[in-house]
Amino acid sequence: MTIGLGPITELSADECWDALASRSLGRLAVTAAGTVDIFPVNYATRDRMLYFRTAPGTKLLELSINDHVAFEIDGATDEEAWSVVVKGRAERLELQSEIDAADTLPLTPWLPTLKYRWVRILPEEVTGRRFLRASEPERY
């Protein structure tokens, strides 16, 4: 299983960002006080950053304790599957100009709750892989 030569291919940075822009639901991983939590969030991209809205609660509390996050999306067809992981820092938008700019993104909550806090993920590492789907090889 060699990256780029077999059934697994590494995605370029542009391919990763195209994949991120093509989706609107991902998983945010955060850690605080030795606990790891994963939250589904709907999101939007702009200028190679991720944005999501949230309400006061566990996510914001954990992000205020530790701003290091991981974010993951994936997709699949009958022929292939792929995954993109973003690692970076999350920051709550505080400046009104940044909030106003974020409000122009095509992002609305999926749940009927008020989510008026904006969070931006500043990527430090973006990686992705594409996997060819096929039958398992025979065991010898």
Side-chain angles (χ1 to χ4, degrees), residues 11-28 41-51 70-75 82-88 105-107 121-130:
L11 299 178
S12 70
D14 287 339
E15 289 174 312
C16 289
W17 283 104
D18 288 346
L20 287 160
S22 76
R23 296 289 194 251
S24 62
L25 180 67
R27 286 165 292 285
L28 176 72
V41 295
N42 65 314
Y43 71 97
T45 63
R46 180 182 284 160
D47 300 326
R48 294 201 171 197
M49 289 180 275
L50 301 169
Y51 293 82
F71 187 85
E72 191 269 345
I73 64 165
D74 51 47
W82 54 267
S83 174
V84 174
V85 175
V86 177
K87 295 178 184 176
L105 289 166
L107 182 63
I121 299 175
L122 305 169
E124 296 172 350
E125 181 182 354
V126 179
T127 58
R129 293 181 178 182
R130 179 176 293 114

